[in-house]
Amino acid sequence: MIVRHLSDIEDTDADIKTPNWRSKRIVLAKEKVGFSVHETTLYAGTVNDFWYANHIEAVFIVEGEGEILDKATGEVHQLKPGSLYLLNNHDKHQVRPKTDMRTVCVFNPPVTGREVHDENGVYPLVVEDDDEAVAS
C-alpha cells in the first residue's frame, strides 16, 4: 500500500514548476501500477498548448474555471469544478484558465516525472526500466 500527502511531494523532484503551471506528481511509473496521478494547477490568464501523442490523459477540475479548445474541431468547452475531460484520441488541445485551475490528472501510460513538453506540447514516451528511465 502507498499513502502519500501533497506535502510529501512539494519542493521535491516530483514537484514540477513552470511559468504556466505546477504539477505535483503523486503516483509515477516507478510504482508500476499502469498509470500516473498528478495534481496540476494551471495559472489564470495563461495559454497552454498540449498534445499527448503518446499518452491518454483524463483531467478532473477541482477548483477554478477556464476553457479547453479542441484544436481539430475548433470546439470550445467551458471548465469548472466537477468537469472532466478525457483526451481519448490523443487530442491536440489548448487550455485557457480564467482563474487558477486546480486539477487531478491521470496518465496512461504513466509518466516517470522526467518528461518535458516539446515544441508541440508532446511528452516523449519514457518507460521505466528496472534500473533507469528509457526514452523512446
Side-chain angles (χ1 to χ4, degrees):
M1 177 183 296
I2 298 171
V3 177
R4 292 196 175 113
H5 188 273
L6 288 174
S7 63
D8 300 331
I9 310 292
E10 291 174 0
D11 299 318
T12 70
D13 290 345
D15 185 2
I16 310 303
K17 300 172 188 175
T18 77
N20 286 15
W21 50 264
R22 179 181 186 179
S23 183
K24 298 172 189 170
R25 278 69 188 282
I26 304 162
V27 176
L28 291 166
K30 67 184 178 183
E31 275 77 53
K32 300 186 185 301
V33 295
F35 59 89
S36 58
V37 178
H38 317 178
E39 180 204 61
T40 301
T41 301
L42 297 111
Y43 301 130
T46 60
V47 175
N48 303 276
D49 292 295
F50 300 117
W51 175 33
Y52 296 114
N54 300 306
H55 299 83
I56 300 295
E57 183 191 28
V59 178
F60 182 76
I61 289 63
V62 178
E63 293 176 358
E65 295 184 2
E67 58 189 24
I68 183 169
L69 164 69
D70 181 332
K71 288 185 161 187
T73 66
E75 192 172 6
V76 175
H77 301 274
Q78 298 305 306
L79 302 173
K80 61 184 179 181
S83 299
L84 178 134
Y85 61 88
L86 176 63
L87 303 165
N88 57 314
N89 290 314
H90 305 282
D91 309 277
K92 291 181 182 181
H93 62 290
Q94 184 177 83
V95 181
R96 302 181 293 234
K98 295 175 185 171
T99 64
D100 284 0
M101 279 188 0
R102 189 165 62 92
T103 67
V104 175
C105 310
V106 177
F107 281 86
N108 181 17
V111 302
T112 65
R114 292 182 292 283
E115 294 82 357
V116 176
H117 291 100
D118 70 12
E119 66 278 1
N120 296 309
V122 175
Y123 275 157
L125 180 58
V126 179
V127 295
E128 284 286 326
D129 195 349
D130 287 338
D131 299 321
E132 60 187 55
V134 179
S136 59

